[in-house]
Amino acid sequence: LNSNNKNVLFLLGTIELKLKNYDESIKLFKKNIKINKEDELTLNNLGIAYKNIKKLDEAKEVFKKILKIIIRI
């Protein structure tokens, strides 16, 4: 996928997450975060994908990042 559209990446990542294709969803969410570093929804879904494949340290770091973003707002 060569799309750099943040909305397309988010939606495709969410579809892959719902289909339990966690590795693919992680790739799409990480690509989206490179474009839109503080997108809480993308970060949340990334954290969920990490949690679902038992990468709990990565999930924890992503959720901490969301909290930092929210606290700044």
Side-chain angles (χ1 to χ4, degrees), residues 1 7-26 28-29 45 49:
L1 176 71
N7 295 324
V8 171
L9 292 169
F10 175 77
L11 292 173
L12 288 173
T14 301
I15 290 167
E16 296 295 343
L17 181 64
K18 297 288 183 184
L19 293 172
K20 299 183 181 181
N21 297 328
Y22 300 121
D23 290 332
E24 187 61 28
S25 71
I26 289 168
L28 291 162
F29 292 139
N45 284 357

Side-chain angles (χ1 to χ4, degrees), residues 7-63:
N7 295 324
V8 171
L9 292 169
F10 175 77
L11 292 173
L12 288 173
T14 301
I15 290 167
E16 296 295 343
L17 181 64
K18 297 288 183 184
L19 293 172
K20 299 183 181 181
N21 297 328
Y22 300 121
D23 290 332
E24 187 61 28
S25 71
I26 289 168
K27 287 180 201 173
L28 291 162
F29 292 139
K30 288 174 87 174
K31 188 172 180 179
N32 191 13
I33 290 166
K34 287 181 182 177
I35 298 167
N36 192 14
K37 295 181 183 355
E38 297 191 345
D39 183 343
E40 294 104 346
L41 291 175
T42 299
L43 288 166
N44 183 67
N45 284 357
L46 177 60
I48 291 168
Y50 278 137
K51 179 190 73 71
N52 287 336
I53 61 170
K54 309 294 187 233
K55 290 191 174 184
L56 300 182
D57 290 336
E58 289 89 338
K60 183 178 176 182
E61 290 305 312
V62 171
F63 292 132

